[in-house]
Amino acid sequence: MKKLFLLICLLGITSTGFCQLKSRTFEEVDSLQQIQKRKIIVFIHTDWCQFCQRMKATTFKNKEIIEILNSNFYFIDFNAEEKRNIAFNNKIFKYKPSGNNVGVHELALQLGTINNQIVYPVLCVLNENYEIILQYNNYLSPKDFKLLLEKLEE
C-alpha cells in the first residue's frame, strides 16, 4: 500500500513538474515566426509591482493557461526595467534611465503605453505581423485570462 501511494505521489509530481510555461525572447520570436506564424503575448512587468508578481504566481502557473500559451502563442515574459539592448522587428530598443537606478526600456514603452502612460502589469498581444491588437493593463485572474486567450484563438 505504501509503494502504491508513493508511486501515485511521484506521478503527480512529475506530471505537474513538466507543465512549464515556455517563455521566449524577442529575438527568438523573430526567428520562430519564420517557421510558424503565431500571435505573440508579451507580459510586461517589473520586480516591484505586486500585481505583476501575483499574476506570475497564479495566472501563469495555471496548467490550462500554460497549455494554451505553449500550444498556440509565443509568450514573452518582459521586465520593463531590462537593461540590455533588444533587437526586435528590425529595430534596436534600449533602456532609458530616468534617474539613479530608475528607468524603463524603450520596448516596454512601445508595447505597454496606453493613454500616454504605462501601468503595470501590461499584457500586449501582437498579431503575426507585429501589430498591436490588444493592450490590457491590469491583473488578470486565471479564469479571466483563459477567456481572453479563447477569444484570441478565434
Side-chain angles (χ1 to χ4, degrees):
M1 191 66 175
K2 285 182 182 177
K3 288 181 182 179
L4 180 62
F5 178 73
L6 214 73
L7 183 64
I8 291 170
C9 286
L10 283 173
L11 287 174
I13 291 168
T14 53
S15 66
T16 55
F18 289 116
C19 192
Q20 287 192 328
L21 183 56
K22 285 184 209 151
S23 182
R24 312 289 186 169
T25 65
F26 286 98
E27 294 85 356
E28 282 177 306
V29 167
D30 258 344
S31 299
L32 288 168
Q33 286 289 37
Q34 306 304 317
I35 300 163
Q36 183 181 12
K37 298 277 188 196
R38 290 184 180 183
K39 289 182 180 111
I40 303 159
I41 296 181
V42 184
F43 176 59
I44 305 168
H45 60 87
T46 64
D47 292 336
W48 49 262
C49 166
Q50 290 179 356
F51 292 109
C52 303
Q53 299 313 314
R54 194 163 109 203
M55 252 182 105
K56 281 184 167 193
T58 58
T59 306
F60 295 118
K61 297 285 186 199
N62 180 285
K63 187 178 176 188
E64 282 181 286
I65 288 170
I66 291 169
E67 287 172 6
I68 294 168
L69 285 172
N70 286 347
S71 300
N72 305 318
F73 300 93
Y74 294 125
F75 177 77
I76 299 174
D77 183 7
F78 181 45
N79 185 336
E81 297 171 328
E82 173 74 47
K83 290 186 172 58
R84 71 177 180 88
N85 291 350
I86 296 173
F88 180 64
N89 198 18
N90 301 315
K91 294 179 190 152
I92 303 290
F93 296 90
K94 299 178 180 191
Y95 176 76
K96 293 285 187 196
S98 59
N100 287 340
N101 290 328
V102 181
V104 67
H105 203 282
E106 288 176 328
L107 191 49
L109 292 172
Q110 177 93 27
L111 299 175
T113 300
I114 304 170
N115 297 326
N116 295 319
Q117 65 178 355
I118 188 163
V119 178
Y120 305 105
V122 180
L123 276 173
C124 179
V125 182
L126 305 172
N127 67 14
E128 295 83 354
N129 300 313
Y130 303 130
E131 298 162 334
I132 296 172
I133 58 172
L134 175 80
Q135 288 173 302
Y136 185 81
N137 62 343
N138 211 332
Y139 171 83
L140 273 171
S141 69
K143 179 183 168 197
D144 292 338
F145 191 56
K146 186 175 177 231
L147 289 172
L148 174 71
L149 291 175
E150 288 168 355
K151 288 206 182 303
L152 288 169
E153 289 178 299
E154 293 174 356

